[in-house]
Amino acid sequence: MYRSRGVLNVLKSISIPPGLLLLQLLPLCVAFVNETSVFGPEKLQAFKIFDDEQPSQISGRSFICVPLFRVFSLELGHNIRLAPDEYVAVSGDHPSLGSWQLDKALPLKEQDKSRSKWYLRVWICASQRFYYRYLIYSKNSQGKRILRTWEGQRVARMLQTYEIYRSPGLDIFGEAYPTSVGGGFYLERGWLQYEYVIELKFVWQDHFDISGMASNAKYRLILTPLNIIDDTRIEVSRFAYNQSGFRPQSQWGVKYTRGSPLVFRIYQPLDTYNALRLSLYQGSRDVQLAVAEVYIFPEQIKGSRGILQLPVFASLQNIAIGEVTLPYLVIQPMPKVEAGNLRASFHHYWPDNWPTLDVGYRGLGASYFQSSTVFTENTIESFLAVQKAMGDMVQLDVQLTKDYVPIVWHGFGFYTSDRDQYIRDRFDLRFVLIRELTYSELKASRVFILKRWTLQEYTHLNVKDVSQNNRIFPKLSEVYEALPKTLGLMVEIKWPQIMASGVQESTQSLNKNSYVDRILQTTIYYGCGRPLIFASFDADICTMIRLKQHVFPVILMSIGRSHIWDPYMDLRAQSFQQAIKFAQSAEILGTALHVENFQNNHQLVNLALDLQQVLFLWGNDLQDVHLLEQFRALDVTGLIYDQMDRVGPSNWKRSAFFRAPQLLEVFGAQCVTSGNSTIIPGVKPAKPTIWPKLR
């Protein structure tokens, strides 16, 4: 009797008529009104108190799990239309909602024939607040769920304890916390798990060579899968400012103009290989004239990347009238990607009210070809010196050895010789690529750097002793373990590019998917829980990082238009405008451009900032204090420069930005989201108003 009265008192404390509720919940509450209804002192001590309103008081409702009938009501706004094979589900941190696991998310039920309204009634045993998100998924032939779209706000929807008993309102898919940074309407594309992607890229100046057609002829392109089973999705991106995002291919195809980037993206189930037909039309939508056709067969797409040279046939005729040169990219899911969950996404987490960050270029600066620092570049010693100079982040270069060990080194190779060989001049040396050596061979090599026709040997720094912070070729994992988590990292992934002249920067034979996977896996295991951005001059690597995971953001680094370096062949990196269009198309965090692009027009930075993209600037000119201050006044995201100990913020900045404990808690969620950890030590549940929105 005493224990039953205790339950009634608890029900009274939450303002629910006890008689009515007990009658309705009698079958479910039998288990609660028994010997375990009231916990002993030992069990009470084991509970974590989640009641934020009265954290110092122990109330019955904090410990007794009362089943409640929750109704989730959702409407698809913003012209969102579901495909016939797509469904809506809800996932959350509560076990009844699947604990953020995609395969355990609860499907909602259709409420109308247009499939725009969905609902779910479910019993939830809740004694504390819980968080949840909505998602859209489909199923493959094996019954595995394919994540199409999900709500990617930094803070998930939250149901407080005092809201649990209120009448549920109507949720709009993708809309949450409109007054918070990272809130408002925001949807994330799902990461690859049981599908792979093929991208056919019209990203060079010239692709078609068709007899009788002008080189600047305009076409409408339609890509059609030639498969019996309809298991292929095709999306297309045609670059235009603020309109470059991927969208389903329309029945009329997409316009193609010479010199304007265009990318087809094909989603297919794993172990499925379909032929494709690319049809070329001319004319308007109403009157389209079939011009030519190109056929792409599965056996022609090999490995992770390549360049197709295919005949162009006259429409409905077996007569070759030209040729198309078409680079392609294949993106496979990352191994063990199923460990990731829906807890959070960090693809676009970089609040725009953060101050302009100071980023050390390869540490305190380049040292092999410039005398900008007393420290050797890309060493742990140089990275640690950035923090002493009040820097916020460090930019470093990473690439893989022959046996796929990520190491930190800027160039694609170095000069070397036999161990006992006497060196008279540079002609006694040979150049070796990093990719040609295993890690053991690399650490056993003599290392020479050619400096303006003089040689300098660095073999004495090529040691394996991890206690020597000035050693060259440190493993990426060693760097992660040696640097404090309060020092942000910009990890630039090296990959040789094709210049506009057709000459390659270098050669690379490693599998591109395995290359990126190894760097991601190393970072998830050793580097999560810190401010970290991936970066690359290779647009395809940015795309791969974006589609393979949702834990780390990535930016495209670009020279843009420059009088210093030759341009790349890839149009996506030939100008600042094309770079920000690519960032929107690939749905990445933003760009990092050479400062030369803004020397005569500082206001160009707003083209990126107005699209809520981050913008970092880099270049030797940024070693000028006055120029640094000018770009800080324009609110660029960060400045990457040498000699931070001389021109950096140490004389006016009291502390590096990421030393704030609250920020470390935020980035600590990366470890949980990636599946590398289950808890963030000492972290309270996130609240929806973390950063006030400025823009």
Side-chain angles (χ1 to χ4, degrees), residues 555-626:
I555 61 175
L556 174 69
M557 298 196 74
S558 175
I559 298 169
R561 289 195 172 96
S562 172
H563 300 291
I564 304 174
W565 294 282
D566 294 332
Y568 293 150
M569 182 175 286
D570 194 329
L571 296 173
R572 296 172 292 183
Q574 285 191 1
S575 70
F576 170 52
Q577 289 84 351
Q578 295 288 21
I580 61 176
K581 292 174 187 175
F582 167 74
Q584 185 186 35
S585 169
E587 299 175 5
I588 62 175
L589 185 62
T591 56
L593 268 290
H594 192 271
V595 68
E596 185 182 358
N597 292 267
F598 309 95
Q599 291 282 47
N600 299 322
N601 189 355
H602 289 183
Q603 298 304 319
L604 274 178
V605 302
N606 291 325
L607 290 178
L609 300 180
D610 289 345
L611 294 179
Q612 283 77 53
Q613 295 181 11
V614 306
L615 175 61
F616 288 82
L617 303 183
W618 60 276
N620 290 336
D621 293 340
L622 289 176
Q623 297 177 32
D624 179 84
V625 175
H626 299 292

Side-chain angles (χ1 to χ4, degrees), residues 25-156:
L25 305 184
L26 186 59
L28 292 167
C29 291
V30 171
F32 295 89
V33 187
N34 55 25
E35 293 297 315
T36 62
S37 296
V38 178
F39 300 102
E42 297 82 10
K43 191 166 290 187
L44 286 176
Q45 290 297 326
F47 279 104
K48 179 178 177 63
I49 301 176
F50 285 87
D51 196 330
D52 290 341
E53 299 170 328
Q54 297 176 329
S56 61
Q57 298 182 15
I58 299 179
S59 60
R61 66 174 180 175
S62 299
F63 306 107
I64 294 182
C65 182
V66 179
L68 57 103
F69 195 57
R70 175 64 186 174
V71 179
F72 294 94
S73 183
L74 179 70
E75 182 176 346
L76 304 180
H78 301 275
N79 296 320
I80 297 175
R81 296 290 181 268
L82 296 181
D85 64 335
E86 291 181 336
Y87 304 91
V88 180
V90 61
S91 179
D93 62 349
H94 195 281
S96 298
L97 299 179
S99 300
W100 295 125
Q101 299 300 316
L102 174 62
D103 57 342
K104 297 180 180 179
L106 299 184
L108 273 65
K109 299 179 181 179
E110 302 175 20
Q111 194 169 342
D112 59 351
K113 293 183 178 179
S114 64
R115 307 183 76 210
S116 62
K117 295 183 179 181
W118 297 72
Y119 74 98
L120 175 67
R121 299 185 179 96
V122 59
W123 289 100
I124 297 180
C125 187
S127 59
Q128 65 197 48
R129 72 171 71 168
F130 61 84
Y131 297 84
Y132 64 98
R133 301 180 189 274
Y134 295 106
L135 59 101
I136 295 175
Y137 72 95
S138 63
K139 286 188 176 182
N140 62 14
S141 57
Q142 287 78 38
K144 298 290 187 179
R145 289 184 177 180
I146 308 297
L147 181 62
R148 295 284 179 85
T149 308
W150 61 295
E151 296 181 321
Q153 286 86 355
R154 170 65 187 88
V155 180

Side-chain angles (χ1 to χ4, degrees), residues 283 350 384 561:
W350 211 262
L384 291 173
R561 289 195 172 96

Side-chain angles (χ1 to χ4, degrees), residues 66 74 128 236 332 341 364 404 439 474 528 536:
V66 179
L74 179 70
Q128 65 197 48
V236 63
Q332 299 284 354
N341 56 63
L364 279 186
Y404 288 87
Y439 180 71
C528 71
S536 183

Side-chain angles (χ1 to χ4, degrees), residues 232-286:
T232 300
R233 287 188 294 130
I234 296 179
E235 297 178 345
V236 63
S237 169
R238 183 174 183 270
F239 283 21
Y241 182 75
N242 201 22
Q243 298 179 7
S244 302
F246 277 92
R247 62 198 68 186
Q249 180 182 227
S250 74
Q251 60 179 331
W252 298 285
V254 60
K255 293 181 180 179
Y256 168 74
T257 305
R258 175 179 176 267
S260 180
L262 174 69
V263 180
F264 285 99
R265 181 177 286 177
I266 305 104
Y267 289 84
Q268 296 188 133
L270 294 176
D271 301 322
T272 300
Y273 311 96
N274 294 316
L276 302 165
R277 181 181 64 229
L278 181 66
S279 303
L280 283 69
Y281 295 87
Q282 286 188 322
S284 63
R285 286 187 177 185
D286 298 330

Side-chain angles (χ1 to χ4, degrees), residues 464-531:
K464 294 184 179 180
D465 186 1
V466 295
S467 65
Q468 294 192 27
N469 287 338
N470 63 344
R471 68 189 184 278
I472 58 176
F473 304 123
K475 291 181 180 180
L476 182 61
S477 59
E478 295 171 351
V479 172
Y480 287 147
E481 291 181 322
L483 299 184
K485 291 186 181 296
T486 54
L487 181 62
L489 296 180
M490 180 179 290
V491 180
E492 179 189 335
I493 301 177
K494 304 290 291 184
W495 191 271
Q497 298 297 293
I498 303 176
M499 313 306 292
S501 61
V503 177
Q504 287 190 327
E505 281 185 310
S506 182
T507 59
Q508 180 58 268
S509 59
L510 301 181
N511 182 282
K512 204 166 191 176
N513 273 288
S514 300
Y515 190 97
V516 173
D517 289 343
R518 183 58 60 91
I519 295 173
L520 285 173
Q521 289 170 326
T522 301
T523 304
I524 288 173
Y525 189 80
Y526 295 98
C528 71
R530 68 168 75 239

Side-chain angles (χ1 to χ4, degrees), residues 284-303:
S284 63
R285 286 187 177 185
D286 298 330
V287 182
Q288 289 197 141
L289 175 64
V291 175
E293 295 175 341
V294 178
Y295 291 90
I296 305 170
F297 298 101
E299 59 270 16
Q300 295 173 316
I301 299 179
K302 303 175 181 178

